[in-house]
């Protein structure tokens, strides 16, 4: 939440990478981050690393809404791996928000989120090609872009 307060001031408008992985910020932290980003305070952010943070539905939905409304216009790499409480509802929010192409997403990492159904994986794969996302085969080490589960 403290980082989000700094972001909300607008002093980090040139920030291109934010790594909060493993900080256990949870839904509260990512919701505060999404609220700040939704105000256009991170217009240059390309990489957002949020793996291993105990983020659940509320956080993912808030982030999806901020991205879907243009709050992260340059976002290329979003890592949400290792947040095992992301449900179908949150996955649906991502599926609905990301194809709006307010983001230039090249990689969406959901690896280690055991609750993601095959249906959700298929929906994300179907929704994201409109944004120019290439889908990597997790068995193919040569492909560095795509959606990883």
């Amino acid at each position: 939440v403290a980082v989000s307060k700094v972001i909300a001031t607008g002093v980090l408008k040139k920030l291109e990478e934010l790594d909060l992985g493993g900080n256990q910020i949870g839904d509260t932290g990512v919701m505060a981050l999404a609220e700040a980003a939704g105000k256009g305070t991170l217009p240059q952010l390309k990489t957002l690393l949020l793996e291993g943070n105990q983020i659940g539905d509320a956080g993912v939905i808030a982030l999806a809404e901020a991205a879907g409304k243009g709050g992260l216009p340059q976002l290329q790499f979003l890592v949400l791996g290792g947040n095992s409480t992301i449900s179908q509802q949150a996955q649906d929010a991502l599926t609905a928000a990301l194809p709006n192409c307010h983001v230039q997403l090249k990689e969406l990492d959901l690896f280690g989120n055991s609750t993601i159904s095959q249906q959700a994986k298929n929906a994300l794969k179907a929704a994201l090609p409109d944004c120019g996302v290439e889908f990597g085969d997790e068995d193919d080490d040569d492909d560095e872009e795509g959606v990883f589960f």
Side-chain angles (χ1 to χ4, degrees):
V1 177
V3 171
S4 299
K5 289 180 182 179
V6 173
I7 291 169
T9 67
V11 299
L12 300 175
K13 286 191 180 220
K14 294 185 179 185
L15 185 69
E16 292 186 8
E17 181 174 327
L18 180 57
D19 184 352
L20 295 173
N23 282 292
Q24 307 308 313
I25 63 173
D27 285 333
T28 302
V30 94
M31 289 169 63
L33 173 66
E35 181 180 352
K39 295 177 181 174
T41 56
L42 293 171
Q44 300 300 313
L45 191 69
K46 294 178 182 175
T47 302
L48 181 56
L49 307 173
L50 296 171
E51 73 278 358
N53 271 301
Q54 297 178 345
I55 298 169
D57 289 355
V60 172
I61 290 168
L63 191 60
E65 288 173 353
K69 292 177 182 175
L72 297 165
Q74 299 297 316
L75 190 65
Q76 295 178 12
F77 302 97
L78 176 57
V79 178
L80 291 168
N83 292 294
S84 61
T85 59
I86 299 173
S87 76
Q88 186 68 46
Q89 179 184 9
Q91 297 158 40
D92 290 345
L94 280 173
T95 302
L98 296 177
N100 292 329
C101 294
H102 293 292
V103 295
Q104 300 176 16
L105 203 63
K106 292 181 181 177
E107 181 179 316
L108 172 60
D109 182 340
L110 296 168
F111 189 80
N113 292 311
S114 59
T115 58
I116 297 177
S117 68
Q118 188 60 48
Q119 178 183 5
K121 291 177 186 180
N122 292 340
L124 283 166
K125 286 181 179 182
L128 292 173
D130 293 336
C131 293
V133 176
E134 293 180 28
F135 296 98
D137 180 348
E138 57 237 71
D139 296 327
D140 183 1
D141 293 333
D142 296 333
D143 190 352
E144 294 181 5
E145 295 181 345
V147 177
F148 301 94
F149 301 101

